[in-house]
Amino acid sequence: MWSPVVKLAAFLTLIHVAQAQCSYSMLQELTKSYVSSRLAGQISTLSTAVYTENFKSSTIQNSVHAQPLRIDHNRSLHDTTQCATYTELIITDSRHPYVIGTQMRYTPEGQLTQIDSLVTDAGDWLFNATGTLYWATREDWSPIPEARRDSRAVIKAGADAYLDLFSNKSTVVPWGTPCARLEGGSYTGQGRPTDSCNLVL
């Protein structure tokens, strides 16, 4: 399942910096609109963008987005430098549960140009939408005080190292301590100050 890669990488790479190409408030409104349209299954605002699903070219008309979704939880990240957003949707609907991660790219004027979705459901690695919902709603995603924030370059390097680890096991990832990973519906942390993310992948 993709969730540990997407969630950590998105968190590390989609950050708000002072010199921005897109306004933070504009991106916030765009993600709110995206979530609202998913509740209704409306795709008119998405239909002009290039769309990929699970790394394959597709069409929004034939995608999971073309149906109403009962969203139990959503969280969005906003990258004003790249004019991009990332939104996680958790759907525990017993008829068809999903965990969906979607990155959208915009022009500085707010025109949607590209949508990349990773859609997981029953049969995917460690898939458990109920478990994902339980742990995701307990995570603290409040803003980091500005004085404690790393630079964009440092954060991006950490994300790149994490992704490189999947193809090169000798890659050194700058994990923090304590650290926990949400793998599908399973959480690796025990609430201890020594919790580590340096686990076998």
Side-chain angles (χ1 to χ4, degrees):
M1 187 176 174
W2 53 267
S3 60
V5 177
V6 172
K7 292 181 69 176
L8 180 60
F11 173 66
L12 291 173
T13 57
L14 296 179
I15 58 174
H16 179 212
V17 295
Q19 299 299 320
Q21 294 182 358
C22 288
S23 74
Y24 186 58
S25 59
M26 181 187 77
L27 294 178
Q28 284 183 307
E29 289 302 315
L30 289 169
T31 52
K32 288 179 182 177
S33 175
Y34 166 72
V35 173
S36 296
S37 64
R38 301 291 51 74
L39 291 168
Q42 297 174 348
I43 59 173
S44 58
T45 58
L46 309 178
S47 58
T48 59
V50 175
Y51 180 70
T52 65
E53 184 170 302
N54 295 344
F55 305 108
K56 296 180 180 179
S57 296
S58 186
T59 63
I60 201 72
Q61 292 81 2
N62 294 320
S63 74
V64 66
H65 300 294
Q67 59 179 305
L69 298 172
R70 295 182 180 179
I71 300 170
D72 296 284
H73 178 73
N74 72 88
R75 178 179 285 118
S76 292
L77 305 172
H78 308 88
D79 184 340
T80 56
T81 297
Q82 296 293 329
C83 286
T85 64
Y86 171 82
T87 300
E88 177 186 62
L89 304 177
I90 302 175
I91 297 98
T92 63
D93 187 344
S94 60
R95 296 173 300 175
H96 197 147
Y98 293 101
V99 178
I100 303 169
T102 297
Q103 185 184 74
M104 296 185 288
R105 295 187 177 275
Y106 298 89
T107 66
E109 296 74 31
Q111 179 180 350
L112 180 61
T113 60
Q114 184 174 340
I115 307 170
D116 299 295
S117 287
L118 291 171
V119 181
T120 59
D121 58 5
D124 289 319
W125 181 60
L126 294 179
F127 179 80
N128 182 338
T130 302
T132 302
L133 176 65
Y134 176 85
W135 291 111
T137 54
R138 282 157 177 77
E139 294 178 333
D140 181 5
W141 285 71
S142 56
I144 298 172
E146 188 170 356
R148 296 176 55 194
R149 297 176 192 172
D150 284 314
S151 69
R152 184 183 182 91
V154 168
I155 295 172
K156 185 177 184 302
D160 288 343
Y162 177 75
L163 295 176
D164 290 344
L165 182 63
F166 286 81
S167 58
N168 181 357
K169 302 303 181 185
S170 65
T171 301
V172 177
V173 181
W175 303 114
T177 303
C179 181
R181 285 167 34 199
L182 177 55
E183 304 275 6
S186 301
Y187 203 65
T188 64
Q190 301 295 320
R192 301 170 182 168
T194 56
D195 282 348
S196 173
C197 286
N198 193 24
L199 307 173
V200 177
L201 297 176

